[in-house]
Amino acid sequence: MAEARTPQAGRDLDRIVFFSDAVFAIAITILVLDIRVPEGLSPAELPAQLLDLGPRYVSYVISFLVLAIYWQAHHKVFKPITGYDGAMVWLNVLFLMAVAFLPFPTSLLGEYSEEQISVVIYAVNAAVASLLLVAISWYATSNHRLVGPDLDDEENRIRRVQGLAVPVVFLLSIGVSFFSPIAAMYSWLLLSVTDPLLRRLWSRQ
Amino acid sequence: MAEARTPQAGRDLDRIVFFSDAVFAIAITILVLDIRVPEGLSPAELPAQLLDLGPRYVSYVISFLVLAIYWQAHHKVFKPITGYDGAMVWLNVLFLMAVAFLPFPTSLLGEYSEEQISVVIYAVNAAVASLLLVAISWYATSNHRLVGPDLDDEENRIRRVQGLAVPVVFLLSIGVSFFSPIAAMYSWLLLSVTDPLLRRLWSRQ
Amino acid sequence: MAEARTPQAGRDLDRIVFFSDAVFAIAITILVLDIRVPEGLSPAELPAQLLDLGPRYVSYVISFLVLAIYWQAHHKVFKPITGYDGAMVWLNVLFLMAVAFLPFPTSLLGEYSEEQISVVIYAVNAAVASLLLVAISWYATSNHRLVGPDLDDEENRIRRVQGLAVPVVFLLSIGVSFFSPIAAMYSWLLLSVTDPLLRRLWSRQ
Amino acid sequence: MAEARTPQAGRDLDRIVFFSDAVFAIAITILVLDIRVPEGLSPAELPAQLLDLGPRYVSYVISFLVLAIYWQAHHKVFKPITGYDGAMVWLNVLFLMAVAFLPFPTSLLGEYSEEQISVVIYAVNAAVASLLLVAISWYATSNHRLVGPDLDDEENRIRRVQGLAVPVVFLLSIGVSFFSPIAAMYSWLLLSVTDPLLRRLWSRQ
């Protein structure tokens, strides 16, 4: 049974959003723990060893940006939502489980950056998380289940397509990884252009 | 001396709830730190070593779900609460101490998943946490001590029984663990059905 | 230049309090990371090794309770505060620096529980933190600098004495540690009775 | 397209500020994880080994203060801001990426405190973070893009100069590090006096 936006439902919803934000903030801030300073080196060895950590800096930046994109996407999905029910709370828990797991494939990508298996595990994790966010969005907006009456249906349709673009990019990158793991990683950069691109394509129709 | 829901008491209560939510969010997000990427492997060894981490993925999922269930249960317990006093604050601190400890038995379960002792320590920790949550609920609602006058007593009674089901499942699983530690772990899945089951049984009376 | 409680000052003050609560919640929740599961043991060795972690469980409980006491004391100190200035913000930063450091002596106490040096470092850290909290309280309430006009001066005086009791207990325990480190640790239990004891002594005057 | 301060925009902005505060709180609280208690020492060795951790205590204090300064600077930058847009959100994400990275050079400074490379990496990281904060401030206040009409332009100009002083100090310290890494570190103490100094210089004009 869904609870409509009464003051109490609003407070509960705030608590769900706050909890999600906190999980995002923690996951994004503990990424750095994976870049460990090598101990006991002589001054002469240090610069080369710090350069050797290169793939770990890259995976830090990638995951920071991916988590920031997901946080903002979560933000946009929850913006029109005015109520909640058990199913939505559980979809959100599963979404957060995938988000909080990302430091593991991040670490894998930093340690074994040229292996296909690292890229595939990362892409699967990211795709699962984004599909769960799509599921939250569809569940909440279908039949205006958990949103107010003033939801802009046209806008909502664009957002659904934009939301689907994220798992599509990650799943396609799995195919690319069979040819080149590095190229698959760079294909994730497409995420930075899908939102404006899809909006333009849409409005041209 | 209990403080009733004045604007100040409400702000204090918000701070208690916020603090609890933050502890939950941190405990749930640092679970992944226990799944460490094995270092220095050859590409050929990597897939097998990642599969060997199997029990750690399982314990991650179990603890994420257990903490999510407890977070929601805490949510429901605090919903009708409109005031606080020293005893309630301390019961909540003890509850959070048990919640924040859960990453340790999670790690134990991931490393020694087939040992009875891992399952027993996990179940005891989880049972203690849920009993403390039951204690908060009972303390707050007895004689309407820390709740408003519009508490639905019938609803409250169902919730108490539902709350007690959680430690009962964990304590029973200790008995099961003498025959099979794995079966004891799977018995925790009962937690996903106790709430609707008990509500149906109750309403049939 | 102190800013009085306007809506903006209130929002800023909330941000300071929120930040402090978050630091407390993180410090208290990462304590468990210090209790590491021993790896690669045979099933027969496991129970004995888990018992050997005994002092770590004790230091976890001690620090969880100490941080919970400090969080509540921080809570009480900030309750009457309605404004802030640069000096108060910096005193709070120094207080949080001491609070966030506590996991280190906790770890020391867990690893070297019978050494005097562990107890002394812990006590000094805890005493410094509580003295800084006393300083915040005195600074804010002197000449009603950062509090509203309705501060109860009598109540404020009791609270100051209660606040001073915390560093006094920790500093005295340093003396005790010269005879017995363990006895010094147990003397910290006095903290659980100083608040009501001092209030009773005060009101008898 | 910037969103002006409607109740919804205010709530979104609060979520951005909350997220930033949480990242700061986590980054500042996990600094202590870098100071690890040496294990398995005899009682006689312990005091000397704890003294040997000296540079780690120093880097803890430095980074705690730097992060506290940045948190307050972020606070001041966001105070007059009443709206947000995509560019500002991304500038803030990049700023947080630099902030959340600081535990790595902190660790480097603790382990290799006398090496120039440690000081340079630390200074570059800190300078990048503060330049991004300056960028947020300039972007938001230019043409009153994301601030209300009552922004005090004179005050804003002082704040811009004060904000620029932070990266200037860190970048200058890189020059100093060629002569003495330790002197470069101490030059960061200038940060504690730039704010009042610049305000005095400004008002004398």
Side-chain angles (χ1 to χ4, degrees), chain A residues 36-46 49-50, chain D residues 36 56 107-108 110-113 115:
Chain A
R36 258 154 292 157
V37 171
E39 290 186 31
L41 298 176
S42 72
E45 295 167 304
L46 188 56
Q49 292 288 315
L50 290 177
Chain D
R36 258 154 291 158
R56 292 195 179 266
S107 182
L108 198 60
E111 178 74 14
Y112 302 101
S113 57
E115 300 305 315

Side-chain angles (χ1 to χ4, degrees), chain D residues 25 33 39 46 53 65 67 69 82 95 113 116 127 151 156-157 162 176 188:
Chain D
L33 294 179
E39 292 186 29
L46 189 56
L53 292 174
L65 293 178
L67 286 173
I69 289 171
T82 54
F95 168 69
S113 57
Q116 193 202 355
L151 178 76
N156 189 39
R157 241 168 281 140
Q162 288 177 328
V176 176
W188 301 340

